[in-house]
Amino acid sequence: MAANASFATTLTILFSLLFAVTAEDPYRFFNWNVTYGDIYPLGVRQQGILIDGKFPGPDIHSVTNDNLVINIFNNLDEPFLLSWNGVQQRRNSYVDGVYGTTCPIPPGKNYTYMLQVKDQIGSFYYFPSLAFHKAAGGFGGIRILSRPRIPVPFPDPAGDYTVLIGDWYKSNHTDLKAKLDSGRKLPLPDGILINGRGTGATLNVEQVLEF
Ligand SMILES: *[C@@H]1O[C@H](CO)[C@@H](O)[C@H](O)[C@H]1NC(C)=O
Ligand SMILES: *[C@@H]1O[C@H](CO)[C@@H](O)[C@H](O)[C@H]1NC(C)=O
Ligand SMILES: *[C@@H]1O[C@H](CO)[C@@H](O)[C@H](O)[C@H]1NC(C)=O
């Protein structure tokens, strides 16, 4: 009887060890190519910064505890640095993406950002933190969902949209940067973009009736 009990205990311990080893937090891998490309957000041709050919860049969909491995190829002719705005870098400030903490990616090179999204359920965004590149693009949304075992106190929404809204200029980022560097202020923006369009974005929503 005693021998059986201790056999069971050993099995349980073995099982927990096995579980601890295999239950690693999931990984999500991204390979992004950063290039210049033509964009027409306000109806005139501009040199935009595209990620995988997209303006705005692709969304990152993640779940709390996911490890994000984001390999970025810089095909611009300037150093490029991405910041993961508001995402806490637990025990790791190295890939924060702020100049001084993280080195920019030299032109023609790639660098792999590795970060873990912890318990920060919500929406965030990434953007280029150098050379006023963000005035040309290179930004996109980050979504951090709750893992299924930690329920949120509301029903699952019927849909989920990323909405990126910001000022926009027809001047390119080098002209805007030169203006700031010479101590002048930026003029009023030429428009407001919603998800990369000056004409607005259409989102379909469902009306919820509460009684
Ligand atoms: C990135 O895109 C450029 C331009 O299309 C292409 O020349 C280059 O090979 C691409 N690099 C990667 C790593 O996909
Ligand atoms: C650059 O990309 C290659 C191919 O994906 C990868 O093997 C390498 O680790 C990357 N280098 C850096 C510094 O991230
Ligand atoms: C930005 O626009 C100016 C003209 O206003 C042009 O001379 C310059 O080459 C442009 N820079 C880039 C990076 O396209």
Side-chain angles (χ1 to χ4, degrees):
M1 190 66 184
N4 266 349
S6 88
F7 180 61
T9 313
T10 314
L11 258 189
T12 311
I13 291 170
L14 266 182
F15 183 76
S16 339
L17 279 178
L18 208 63
F19 190 75
V21 169
T22 53
E24 200 185 359
D25 295 324
Y27 281 78
R28 283 177 203 253
F29 297 90
F30 302 84
N31 274 298
W32 285 353
N33 194 1
V34 178
T35 58
Y36 287 123
D38 288 346
I39 55 172
Y40 302 81
L42 295 178
V44 295
R45 193 187 72 82
Q46 291 183 261
Q47 179 187 259
I49 292 179
L50 314 180
I51 297 184
D52 276 351
K54 295 195 183 77
F55 169 81
D59 271 2
I60 290 182
H61 289 201
S62 61
V63 172
T64 52
N65 281 358
D66 280 356
N67 294 290
L68 307 181
V69 181
I70 310 161
N71 188 4
I72 299 189
F73 293 81
N74 177 12
N75 274 290
L76 309 181
D77 56 2
E78 304 176 275
F80 182 77
L81 181 61
L82 274 187
S83 178
W84 316 97
N85 194 48
V87 177
Q88 286 172 8
Q89 309 278 333
R90 293 244 183 127
R91 285 182 269 142
N92 165 29
S93 63
Y94 190 63
V95 298
D96 191 28
V98 174
Y99 191 55
T101 321
T102 317
C103 293
I105 309 171
K109 302 280 186 216
N110 68 300
Y111 177 74
T112 307
Y113 292 84
M114 286 195 238
L115 49 129
Q116 187 176 25
V117 290
K118 296 295 291 185
D119 292 323
Q120 281 188 282
I121 300 159
S123 37
F124 302 86
Y125 66 104
Y126 60 88
F127 68 89
S129 57
L130 281 187
F132 221 45
H133 284 154
K134 60 184 173 186
F139 52 80
I142 302 174
R143 221 177 268 178
I144 307 176
L145 302 177
S146 175
R147 25 189 210 291
R149 69 159 66 177
I150 302 178
V152 287
F154 48 82
D156 275 347
D160 209 344
Y161 295 104
T162 297
V163 182
L164 297 165
I165 305 179
D167 293 345
W168 198 257
Y169 292 90
K170 289 178 183 169
S171 311
N172 62 34
H173 71 279
T174 47
D175 281 358
L176 293 170
K177 179 176 179 294
K179 205 163 271 179
L180 288 176
D181 285 347
S182 71
R184 283 173 291 163
K185 282 186 181 167
L186 291 182
L188 285 176
D190 297 307
I192 291 179
L193 301 194
I194 302 180
N195 289 350
R197 293 149 152 265
T199 51
T202 309
L203 310 170
N204 292 318
V205 299
E206 254 174 47
Q207 186 176 11
V208 177
L209 297 173
E210 285 192 36
F211 297 99

